[in-house]
Amino acid sequence: FSVVPAVFVIHQDNYPDLEAPRTWEELLHPRYEKKVALPVSDFDLFNGILLNLHKEFGDEGIVRLGRSMDVNLHPAQMVRASNRASAHKPFVTVMPYFFTRMLRQNSSARSIWPEDGAIISPVFMLVKKERLELTRPVADFLASPEMGSILTNQGLFPSLHPDVKNVLPENPRWKWIGWDYLHDNDVAALLKHALKIFEDTVGVSQ
């Protein structure tokens, strides 16, 4: 009923001559090695990033992602670092879109919605069939336009309800791995494979 989009936050001050990445493919370029903060501890979102990039760029894409990482920060830590003048700030920070609302207005940080699409992690609910009647009021509320408006207006979580007008940049694009891909592949094995490549690369590069 909602999604968590991953976007780029750019700290240009320490890299005045470096052009910001506009796509995920650009983020994997060698010029951004050791210049990217990744939300490794935000498991759902990071797993979504790994699977999407592996689907599109294969093992080499995950190697390049590992080489790009400067630091692993939870999104809340990323925001605190962005708002503190003395904090270490990687050139690019990958974070959930809703955390960009917490950046100070006078901060030098700016957010970029990837031109090839914000990688999304779905927010969904599972309801047991035999408990459906008992849980229906909660399920109906979570899927309602009222809840959708709260999600998008208060938290910048885009709602999938057709009657909700989302708070988003103009003509946003999305990068979603797809239900068919999830159904047709051993996702657990793919994720384990991609994570090992990433961890091995980070271990070697550091």
Side-chain angles (χ1 to χ4, degrees), residues 1 125 135-148 150-151:
F1 56 89
M125 54 184 160
T135 57
R136 186 180 297 277
V138 174
D140 286 348
F141 173 70
L142 290 175
S144 69
E146 292 79 13
M147 185 62 183
I150 292 171
L151 287 169

Side-chain angles (χ1 to χ4, degrees), residues 2-201:
S2 183
V3 296
V4 179
V7 301
F8 307 152
V9 171
I10 309 300
H11 298 95
Q12 196 79 55
D13 288 354
N14 294 336
Y15 304 90
D17 299 324
L18 188 57
E19 187 175 345
R22 294 287 172 178
T23 66
W24 290 95
E25 184 174 13
E26 287 183 7
L27 184 73
L28 302 179
H29 193 279
R31 65 175 167 268
Y32 301 117
E33 286 188 12
K34 295 290 189 179
K35 294 182 178 68
V36 181
L38 294 172
V40 178
S41 54
D42 186 342
F43 300 116
D44 289 340
L45 187 61
F46 187 65
N47 288 348
I49 291 171
L50 281 180
L51 288 173
N52 272 275
L53 295 184
H54 187 267
K55 176 186 177 184
E56 190 165 354
F57 304 109
D59 290 358
E60 178 60 25
I62 303 303
V63 169
R64 288 156 62 189
L65 181 69
R67 289 173 178 166
S68 74
M69 191 175 83
D70 173 37
V71 65
N72 162 31
L73 290 177
H74 185 275
Q77 294 175 300
M78 296 175 180
V79 171
R80 285 198 296 271
S82 294
N83 290 337
R84 288 170 53 198
S86 60
H88 170 65
K89 299 179 181 66
F91 181 56
V92 184
T93 298
V94 178
M95 69 167 62
Y97 179 56
F98 65 89
F99 274 99
T100 63
R101 172 169 284 181
M102 302 177 192
L103 297 172
R104 289 178 181 169
Q105 292 299 314
N106 61 351
S107 170
S108 61
R110 59 189 173 95
S111 63
I112 292 178
W113 190 284
E115 293 177 358
D116 55 341
I119 290 178
I120 60 172
S121 175
V123 180
F124 56 92
M125 54 184 160
L126 297 175
V127 179
K128 292 183 177 180
K129 291 181 180 179
E130 63 271 19
R131 307 289 286 178
L132 182 58
E133 290 308 311
L134 181 64
T135 57
R136 186 180 297 277
V138 174
D140 286 348
F141 173 70
L142 290 175
S144 69
E146 292 79 13
M147 185 62 183
S149 294
I150 292 171
L151 287 169
T152 191
N153 289 300
Q154 301 302 319
L156 297 183
F157 290 95
S159 170
L160 300 187
H161 197 287
D163 296 333
V164 173
K165 181 175 177 57
N166 284 303
V167 180
L168 294 169
E170 187 176 357
N171 300 319
R173 294 186 65 184
W174 310 92
K175 191 180 286 293
W176 164 233
I177 198 169
W179 295 113
D180 289 340
Y181 186 85
L182 294 174
H183 180 271
D184 295 340
N185 291 276
D186 186 340
V187 176
L190 276 174
L191 188 56
K192 184 178 180 180
H193 172 74
L195 189 58
K196 185 177 188 310
I197 294 172
F198 178 81
E199 291 176 342
D200 288 348
T201 303

